[in-house]
Amino acid sequence: APWCSHMSQSDNLSSRSTLDQALEASAQGDSTVATELFLQAIAEQPDSGAAHFLLGSEFAALGDIGRAEHHISTALLLSPQWHVARYQLGLLQFSDGRVPAALLTWQPLAELPDSSPLPHWVQGFVALARDDFDGARPLFVAGLERNTDNPAMSADIQRVLVAMPSPETSAPPADDGVAHVLLSSYQQSGPAH
């Protein structure tokens, strides 16, 4: 999984085992056990951004936005160059209606190379915030074309595209798919983000 490459060298097998158990519990829908195990992994390896990120993701899936943001922010503080964590933190803020905070969080992602999907998706959300659906759509698609190693994130963007009004209409989306985009994939596929 992409987040594994961002784990610190001090992460040991027991911490990974705890994370694996937590991910398994999360995948089985047992958020109580998953949360306890993520907290245990944080206690075992407090400098590991992965455990904070995954706990934050679990809280987001439960709708606890405050705790989700706290732990994902902590993961980003521990690993400032972890672009996926930065993207997900901004997405959490965006989907919570805090567009200026999301734009500030995402700002460093604009410097990533054109080959990365993240700057395209961020610009797509900027257009979406302006209700520029015609401008957002090609940016989301450009990011999808560049994302070759994280299918769960592509699935999230596909849900955003489906929720957007079609090019032929100016009607608002039929559902609030954007609001639920952050963690829909974590319960299905683990720490793909």
Side-chain angles (χ1 to χ4, degrees):
W3 61 269
C4 291
S5 63
H6 301 286
M7 295 174 71
S8 73
Q9 296 293 359
S10 64
D11 289 332
N12 61 30
L13 289 176
S14 67
S15 178
R16 289 186 186 147
S17 176
T18 302
L19 285 178
D20 289 342
Q21 292 172 39
L23 288 169
E24 184 177 326
S26 180
Q28 293 173 357
D30 192 343
S31 57
T32 301
V33 170
T35 300
E36 290 171 6
L37 288 168
F38 286 134
L39 287 168
Q40 180 182 334
I42 289 169
E44 291 170 0
Q45 296 293 324
D47 294 334
S48 170
H52 280 284
F53 180 73
L54 294 169
L55 179 58
S57 299
E58 190 70 29
F59 282 133
L62 296 170
D64 189 340
I65 303 304
R67 289 166 87 183
E69 187 170 0
H70 168 77
H71 284 285
I72 295 173
S73 295
T74 301
L76 191 56
L77 286 171
L78 292 169
S79 302
Q81 297 304 312
W82 190 359
H83 302 306
V84 171
R86 180 173 299 282
Y87 170 75
Q88 294 290 25
L89 176 60
L91 189 55
L92 179 66
Q93 294 164 332
F94 186 93
S95 62
D96 194 40
R98 293 179 290 130
V99 175
L103 297 179
L104 186 59
T105 297
W106 282 333
Q107 194 171 20
L109 299 179
E111 304 301 318
L112 293 177
D114 182 70
S115 59
S116 170
L118 299 179
H120 300 280
W121 289 339
V122 165
Q123 289 305 313
F125 282 109
V126 169
L128 193 63
R130 295 188 309 253
D131 292 331
D132 179 7
F133 303 112
D134 291 337
R137 191 171 282 102
L139 290 162
F140 287 136
V141 170
L144 287 171
E145 291 169 351
R146 288 160 174 79
N147 185 29
T148 58
D149 49 290
N150 202 319
M153 287 174 66
S154 287
D156 288 343
I157 295 299
Q158 290 288 356
R159 282 190 281 283
V160 171
L161 286 167
V162 167
M164 289 172 49
S166 69
E168 298 81 32
T169 70
S170 60
D175 64 36
D176 61 346
V178 174
H180 300 295
V181 78
L182 178 64
L183 286 199
S184 57
S185 61
Y186 284 104
Q187 292 180 327
Q188 297 167 5
S189 61
H193 302 275

